[in-house]
DNA sequence: CCTATATTACCGACTAGTTGGTAGACATGC
DNA sequence: GCATGTCTACCAACTAGTCGGTAATATAGG
């Protein structure tokens, strides 16, 4: 029950979006869970688009903060990537955030309202930027081994993680995700060329 | 206008699912496009679940036929994988089938009716089986280079392709998909170890 | 060949319930 | 007084799904 009503609405909305995507959750669902009336939700977020955009903005801001924090905590770019992936591994395992909502909404993109779609694309751009920068630094410092241009490697990495989230859903197990993360990190590690 | 009414319904349903996922398309959408009444669709597919299960079954059957055909046409497992990926690349580029509906529905899994979810998981299992068999054969014949057990490599491959489909949506360009496919094939190729 | 009987495919009109969204009233606190 | 937050009550539009009925097409049996 922590946080303001608006924040609790965002929390539940985030959870429901992660579960069902855009179309399959309703204001009524949120209302019953947050224990406020539907009208209250409309007071804070007049349109469904507004609500989902707000959820995505918060998600994107948190991502930005998290990545910045990671950049501060770990000097080695390889470690940064490791932390990023292990963070998601923990989320999926503990089911606190079983999938990245931007990945889910990315799949549904053609049917999303324009401003929601824009916000989803911002997330992809943000994540791509961080991944590319991290890979580039790692390549310079020789702590990451690449075979493609950093931009392409960033795309490959992002796709792998998103796909792994979906597979974890399909298999109803976080093990696939862990294995894919481990294999990916091993591929990027300069140490173990053939172990 | 080719095919029976039931087939045309399945065609449009498949297209709409690929666009919007499960919840965001309606019988009315199909009715207006196929130019039959809603009641007609219910006549052929009583429940929405039935319709989507039928779409998935047909999709899975076509996949099976396509893979079997590929196994017959190409003796080299590496070529088979190449054909598989290039097939999707063409679909995405020409927008004939902009995404694998099983991947999209995989992301929406927690909110799907049980029998639809089961059918989605069948698709994952089928594809995994074929990938693993192909990788295993390729490893034996030394036409494919792996660093993990074939089952894990199959999971990695599937996740990469699915994630690449979502990225293509987000970037509104098939280029990302092509690049990811090329990088992946290069990684699996035994020839160019470092080019 | 010619009825009688199913079966299939289709439709307009309907139902019960849900959807996102609105209007207006009532608190609470600055 | 006025802004903020919340509520009940409401709405039009849409949802999946049903109903009763019609036309056409088989499939019989005599």
């Amino acid at each position: 029950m922590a946080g303001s009503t608006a924040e609790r609405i965002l929390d539940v909305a985030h959870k429901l979006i992660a579960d069902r995507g855009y179309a399959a959750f309703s204001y009524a669902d949120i209302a019953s869970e947050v224990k406020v009336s539907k009208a209250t939700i409309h007071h804070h977020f007049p349109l469904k688009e507004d609500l989902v955009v707000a959820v995505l903005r918060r998600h994107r801001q948190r991502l930005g903060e998290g990545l910045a924090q990671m950049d501060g905590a770990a000097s080695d770019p390889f470690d940064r990537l490791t932390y990023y992936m292990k963070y998601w591994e923990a989320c999926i395992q503990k089911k606190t955030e079983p999938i990245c909502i931007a990945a889910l909404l990315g799949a549904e993109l053609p049917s999303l309202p324009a401003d929601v779609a824009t916000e989803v694309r911002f997330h992809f751009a943000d994540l791509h930027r961080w991944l590319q920068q991290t890979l580039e630094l790692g390549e310079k410092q020789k702590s990451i081994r690449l075979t493609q241009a950093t931009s392409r490697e960033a795309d490959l990495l992002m796709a792998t993680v998103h796909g792994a989230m979906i597979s974890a859903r399909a298999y109803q197990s976080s093990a696939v995700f862990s294995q894919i993360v481990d294999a990916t990190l091993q591929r990027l590690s300069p140490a173990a060329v053939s172990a």
Side-chain angles (χ1 to χ4, degrees), chain A residues 52-70:
Chain A
V52 178
V53 165
V55 169
L56 280 167
R57 272 212 241 277
R58 194 181 63 158
H59 183 244
R60 196 152 66 88
Q61 199 198 321
R62 285 179 178 174
L63 174 74
E65 289 168 7
L67 296 179
Q69 197 182 327
M70 233 149 40

Side-chain angles (χ1 to χ4, degrees), chain A residues 11-141:
Chain A
D11 290 342
V12 172
H14 189 125
K15 201 190 75 181
L16 288 173
I17 294 168
D19 238 47
R20 317 181 187 174
Y22 184 87
F25 84 93
S26 75
Y27 272 42
D29 296 327
I30 301 176
S32 79
E33 198 153 342
V34 182
K35 266 137 197 158
V36 290
S37 69
K38 268 193 341 169
T40 299
I41 307 174
H42 279 287
H43 169 71
H44 292 282
F45 310 97
L47 308 181
K48 195 180 186 184
E49 306 182 30
D50 301 332
L51 171 59
V52 178
V53 165
V55 169
L56 280 167
R57 272 212 241 277
R58 194 181 63 158
H59 183 244
R60 196 152 66 88
Q61 199 198 321
R62 285 179 178 174
L63 174 74
E65 289 168 7
L67 296 179
Q69 197 182 327
M70 233 149 40
D71 288 352
S75 58
D76 183 1
F78 183 84
D79 291 343
R80 291 180 190 168
L81 282 184
T82 304
Y83 287 149
Y84 170 71
M85 294 200 185
K86 291 292 173 182
Y87 166 77
W88 273 111
E89 187 178 322
C91 285
I92 293 168
Q93 201 177 331
K94 297 182 211 153
K95 295 171 186 173
T96 50
E97 197 181 342
I99 200 168
C100 171
I101 55 170
L104 207 181
L105 295 177
E108 294 177 340
L109 261 176
S111 67
L112 299 181
D115 41 358
V116 176
T118 300
E119 212 62 39
V120 170
R121 295 204 172 92
F122 280 156
H123 176 91
F124 275 77
D126 279 6
L127 185 54
H128 181 273
R129 194 179 307 116
W130 183 81
L131 286 172
Q132 184 177 358
Q133 284 170 0
T134 306
L135 290 172
E136 190 138 353
L137 189 61
E139 198 174 31
K140 269 187 198 146
Q141 299 185 358

